[in-house]
Amino acid sequence: AMADELERLDACISGLLEKNADKILNKITSLGKDQVKKLQVDFGVGFKAYLKNACAKYSRIKTILYRSQPRYLYDFFECNTLSCGGRGIDASDVANVMQTSHFLILQGTGGIGKSTLFKHFFMSALRKDTLREDPIPIFVELKELSGSKNALFDDLYASLNRLGFRLEPEYFTYALRAGCFLFLLDGYDEISPDRRADFFRQLDELCDRYPDNNYL
């Protein structure tokens, strides 16, 4: 089942990137025709490498029951129902969650399954037509942040780079301006308490500067 799903997702990834490449290129007016064509190819190659590697990483999970060998997420995953303002939200599709707002915080007690749910959101966002804007999901493990002041942009870019993205940071900026992303920022409770205020300040600034993306 996992092999069939990943094969289907590969086709979805290609369509997702084609749509977002057009959004980015519409933001760039300084490039010649040949440069635009090269960037379009480079964009597709860079993000496809990231998404395929991230998909392989986040679709398999170790649990208490499966400690020695990671299992495919959907072999055991049971989706949560979320609550917002007393209203239930079906979390089986990340689109249902992001319809509430482009800027959300998911709260829950430790061990309740937030990280697993975020990995489901990542996989859900890869499927065609799950979100109206079809953003590219970026899974960020907050425990990996550098902790440097004013470095959140660099940390997000590094999350991509670690899993195969090789485009220059300036093109990541173009994609941010075009609103191409769904950022899944996982593990706030793993940031040391003395760094949390600075993280939220940087996140607020990022959301203000690039408000057309989704942040969860």
Side-chain angles (χ1 to χ4, degrees), residues 173-211:
T173 301
Y174 284 126
L176 281 166
R177 290 174 181 167
C180 286
F181 299 119
L182 163 63
F183 288 106
L184 298 162
L185 306 167
D186 179 53
Y188 170 71
D189 55 343
E190 297 186 51
I191 301 175
S192 62
D194 62 314
R195 290 171 45 207
R196 291 177 184 175
D198 185 62
F199 165 74
F200 260 114
R201 176 187 60 78
Q202 293 188 55
L203 182 59
D204 280 342
E205 291 176 357
L206 190 81
C207 292
D208 288 343
R209 188 171 298 146
Y210 307 111

Side-chain angles (χ1 to χ4, degrees), residues 159-179:
S159 293
L160 285 162
N161 207 252
R162 276 192 292 270
L163 290 177
F165 182 78
R166 294 293 180 263
L167 275 178
E168 295 298 320
E170 65 179 298
Y171 296 117
F172 179 48
T173 301
Y174 284 126
L176 281 166
R177 290 174 181 167

Side-chain angles (χ1 to χ4, degrees), residues 5 9 24 45-46 74 84 86-87 116 118 129 134 148 159 180 186 188 195-196 199:
E5 174 70 355
L9 285 173
I24 293 175
V45 171
Y74 293 110
C84 182
R87 177 175 62 89
T116 302
F118 266 42
D129 302 323
D134 289 330
S148 302
S159 293
C180 286
D186 179 53
Y188 170 71
R195 290 171 45 207
R196 291 177 184 175
F199 165 74

